[in-house]
Amino acid sequence: MSWAEAGFEIFGTHVLWTDLVGNIAALATVLLAMRASMWTWPVQFAGSVLLFIASVNAQITGNALKQALFAGLAVYGWWAWRRGTQNGAKLAIRPARWWERSMLIGALLAGTVLVGLLFYVTGLSWGAHEPLPKGAFLVAADAYIFVGSALATWAQGRALVDFWIVWVAVDIVGVPLAFSSGLVVSGAVYGIFFVLVVIGFMKWLREYRTAALAVAVAR
């Protein structure tokens, strides 16, 4: 057995270390993002690599592609935050402008349709193997989560407060989908993410308002 397949047994289920540590890293990523820490990105990158390996071993191609995308976005996020904090500057957290919000909404809708069709035709989504209309719904939900997660990570790289809202929109679909599909553990993890995302949104919004008030007073 290779290191990528190493794990342990719990309640008769083999748990891969790559899957466990990868999910712990994903959880740590959210906690680090709350603090706008640069460590957010290397931890996300490491977690994505581990979950990519776990997904490949489990032959879950769609999830493997998602993790590869997240790894690439982690590199972008690192570059963007490093650029925004040059010479000791504090990361400029801000709400999205109207055109950025319009782009996020449009990309989420169009991306869900396009990725959904791709997932269905290629069978990359596990829902593509279910009978209609259930299969179509599952593929659409899978595509929505895929596209929404990518957009949220991109918006996070731009230090937009709105990236937390996109994650909320993703979790609203992800939590009930996981539980209804019998994935109790995944549903519980999504639930934890949902709570942390709401807390993160309030924290970033408070920090933005405090910084904006300080600038107004200084003037």
Side-chain angles (χ1 to χ4, degrees):
M1 182 176 65
S2 67
W3 66 269
E5 299 173 332
F8 57 94
E9 298 290 327
I10 181 170
F11 301 121
T13 301
H14 184 68
V15 178
L16 294 173
W17 282 113
T18 51
D19 188 30
L20 177 62
V21 178
N23 275 294
I24 291 174
L27 182 61
T29 297
V30 180
L31 295 173
L32 290 167
M34 288 184 187
R35 302 176 60 185
S37 169
M38 285 296 299
W39 281 101
T40 298
W41 302 110
V43 170
Q44 176 176 315
F45 182 85
S48 296
V49 171
L50 290 172
L51 291 175
F52 173 83
I53 295 171
S55 298
V56 169
N57 279 335
Q59 298 182 343
I60 307 176
T61 308
N63 195 61
L65 290 175
K66 181 169 69 174
Q67 297 307 325
L69 177 62
F70 285 169
L73 286 170
V75 174
Y76 164 75
W78 169 266
W79 171 82
W81 281 23
R82 286 283 293 179
R83 184 182 180 187
T85 56
Q86 289 180 345
N87 301 319
K90 187 176 181 180
L91 185 66
I93 295 172
R94 65 175 177 84
R97 299 182 179 90
W98 68 267
W99 63 268
E100 290 171 318
R101 287 177 180 161
S102 299
M103 188 190 71
L104 285 170
I105 295 172
L108 180 58
L109 295 176
T112 297
V113 173
L114 294 176
V115 173
L117 290 173
L118 175 65
F119 279 2
Y120 189 80
V121 172
T122 60
L124 289 176
S125 172
W126 56 281
H129 307 290
E130 294 289 330
L132 297 174
K134 180 181 179 181
F137 170 77
L138 292 175
V139 171
D142 203 11
Y144 173 85
I145 293 171
F146 180 92
V147 175
S149 299
L151 290 173
T153 307
W154 174 83
Q156 179 184 345
R158 295 182 64 84
L160 303 179
V161 177
D162 304 61
F163 97 86
W164 295 105
I165 300 176
V166 180
W167 274 124
V168 168
V170 170
D171 286 342
I172 286 175
V173 173
V175 173
L177 177 64
F179 278 115
S180 64
S181 301
L183 304 176
V184 179
V185 175
S186 295
V189 171
Y190 265 118
I192 294 172
F193 275 121
F194 181 82
V195 174
L196 292 177
V197 163
V198 172
I199 295 173
F201 169 69
M202 293 188 295
K203 187 175 186 297
W204 270 42
L205 186 60
R206 183 169 59 250
E207 289 183 7
Y208 164 73
R209 288 174 174 172
T210 299
L213 179 61
V215 171
V217 171
R219 291 177 180 175

